[in-house]
Amino acid sequence: RKMNRTIVCSLLVSVLPAAAGFAGNNLVRPRSTFPSSNNRPQSNLAESLQEDVEFQSESNAKPYDKSALNRRDVLGQAYRTSAAIAASSALFANPATSNADIEGVATIPQSTAPPEAKSSNEDGKSVTVFKTKSGLQYIEIVEGTGSTPAYGNLVAISYKAYIKLPDIKGKQSKLDEFDSDKGYLIKHGNGRTVPGLDEALHTMKVGGKRRVIVPPKLGYISGGLGPIPVGPYGRYKLNTLLDKMVEVKGGNFIFDVEMKSIIEDEADQGYYGDESISPDDFNTLRQNLEGQQQAAREAKAKAV
C-alpha cells in the first residue's frame, strides 16, 4: 500500500501541471508560443491579448479562450485526472483474477460406471446400443485395438456429422448431414469439443468405429465448440438445423467416428492428470485442517 501511494503521488506531481492545461477541453498555449514584439506596449494587457488572438486567427490556430483560465474548470479537470490515475495505479498494483479457461479442464462427465447395453433395431438390423450415465448413446461398429486415449492426448479422427430430428406426425425424419472431415485433430479433454463426442472418444481404441448419438444437452451447448463446418454453407445448414431442433423441441446429433491415431502431447504440463477428490475425501481433508487450527488456537491460549 505504501508503494501504491508513492506511485500515485509521483504521477500526480507529473500530471497535474499538464492537466491544468486541458481545463474546459481547451488547450491553453503558453504565452511563449506567441510571437514577441518589442514595439507592443507591455503595460496594456488587453492590446497584448488582442494581438495574440489575431495572430492565432491568421495562422488558423484555435482562438485563445479566456474561459480556459477558469479556476473551477482547472481544478475539476485536475481532480478527474488524479482519480483516473489512482484507479489505474490500483489496478496495476492489484490485478483482477483472470477468468480464462485453464488448459486441461475436462468438461465431459467423469462417471466411471459401465454403460448400459440394450438391443435395438437400426436400419433393419439388430444392434447393441450402449448408454452412459450422462445420456450419451453409441453403437460399437469396430472395436479397434490398443489403449484408449488419456486426457491431454492428441486424437486424430475422421467423422461424418448429422442431425436427426424427431418424427413429426408419423413422418419419419432422416439423417441430415451437415459436416464431415477425414482428418480432424482434437486435444482430448480441453473443453473445446462437443461434450458428448469427447466422452465417446475417451473409450475408443485406434481403428475403432462408432456411431455416436449425442443428446442436445451434450451437443453444441456453448460457442466455440467443435467440430463445426469450415465453409459458410455448412455453417448455415448447421444453424438452420439447430433452429429446427429448438422449434420442435427434440432431435439428436449423430457422429459416425473412426479413431485414426492417439498421440501423446509433448507440450502437456500435466494438468490433465489431476483428478478431483471425492466428497468423502474432501470432508476428511476439511476436518483435518479444522482440527489443526483448533489445536493451534488452544496451544496459543495456553502459552498466553
Side-chain angles (χ1 to χ4, degrees):
R1 295 181 178 176
K2 183 176 180 181
M3 183 178 295
N4 292 343
R5 290 195 295 269
T6 304
I7 294 173
V8 173
C9 292
S10 61
L11 289 174
L12 288 176
V13 171
S14 61
V15 173
L16 282 178
F22 288 91
N25 297 323
N26 293 305
L27 179 61
V28 180
R29 303 177 183 274
R31 288 298 300 271
S32 59
T33 60
F34 300 134
S36 59
S37 175
N38 295 330
N39 297 326
R40 287 193 302 179
Q42 300 296 324
S43 60
N44 194 333
L45 179 60
E47 291 181 7
S48 176
L49 183 59
Q50 182 64 28
E51 289 180 10
D52 292 342
V53 173
E54 290 174 357
F55 170 75
Q56 286 189 322
S57 300
E58 292 173 359
S59 60
N60 294 324
K62 190 174 181 179
Y64 187 87
D65 189 359
K66 289 186 287 184
S67 64
L69 296 178
N70 186 290
R71 181 180 179 186
R72 180 176 297 177
D73 292 341
V74 172
L75 293 177
Q77 182 65 28
Y79 173 78
R80 289 189 293 270
T81 304
S82 61
I85 294 172
S88 61
S89 300
L91 179 62
F92 285 117
N94 302 293
T97 303
S98 174
N99 293 321
D101 289 340
I102 300 175
E103 183 78 5
V105 176
T107 59
I108 66 175
Q110 300 293 326
S111 175
T112 57
E116 300 177 358
K118 66 178 182 178
S119 297
S120 178
N121 188 359
E122 185 77 14
D123 296 332
K125 298 180 181 180
S126 179
V127 295
T128 301
V129 179
F130 297 91
K131 185 175 182 179
T132 66
K133 295 295 183 180
S134 67
L136 174 75
Q137 301 180 71
Y138 62 87
I139 301 171
E140 198 80 76
I141 301 174
V142 178
E143 185 176 356
T145 58
S147 60
T148 58
Y151 295 127
N153 287 160
L154 299 174
V155 177
I157 64 171
S158 64
Y159 69 88
K160 285 188 177 181
Y162 313 85
I163 284 182
K164 174 75 164 58
L165 296 174
D167 298 339
I168 301 176
K169 296 181 180 180
K171 183 179 179 180
Q172 186 176 6
S173 62
K174 298 181 179 180
L175 296 180
D176 203 339
E177 182 179 345
F178 65 86
D179 191 25
S180 64
D181 199 327
K182 294 182 179 181
Y184 187 71
L185 191 64
I186 294 174
K187 177 74 169 176
H188 183 42
N190 70 347
R192 303 296 193 272
T193 306
V194 169
L197 177 59
D198 214 8
E199 180 183 359
L201 293 176
H202 193 61
T203 53
M204 289 186 68
K205 300 177 182 179
V206 175
K209 296 181 180 180
R210 280 182 181 178
R211 166 159 286 188
V212 183
I213 305 168
V214 180
K217 66 178 182 179
L218 298 177
Y220 294 93
I221 55 178
S222 63
L225 295 179
I228 58 174
V230 177
Y233 174 73
R235 296 194 179 192
Y236 168 77
K237 188 173 183 179
L238 173 58
N239 289 331
T240 303
L241 291 172
L242 291 174
D243 290 339
K244 289 183 179 180
M245 289 181 68
V246 174
E247 181 180 351
V248 300
K249 298 180 180 179
N252 291 309
F253 303 97
I254 312 292
F255 292 92
D256 288 338
V257 187
E258 179 181 359
M259 178 75 75
K260 293 289 189 179
S261 62
I262 301 173
I263 307 170
E264 185 175 352
D265 187 0
E266 296 180 357
D268 182 26
Q269 299 183 13
Y271 298 124
Y272 294 83
D274 295 339
E275 297 181 355
S276 300
I277 62 176
S278 66
D280 293 337
D281 291 339
F282 179 80
N283 289 331
T284 301
L285 177 62
R286 179 176 57 81
Q287 292 173 2
N288 291 340
L289 292 175
E290 290 178 350
Q292 293 176 3
Q293 293 174 354
Q294 181 64 26
R297 285 193 293 268
E298 293 176 356
K300 184 178 180 180
K302 292 180 180 180
V304 174

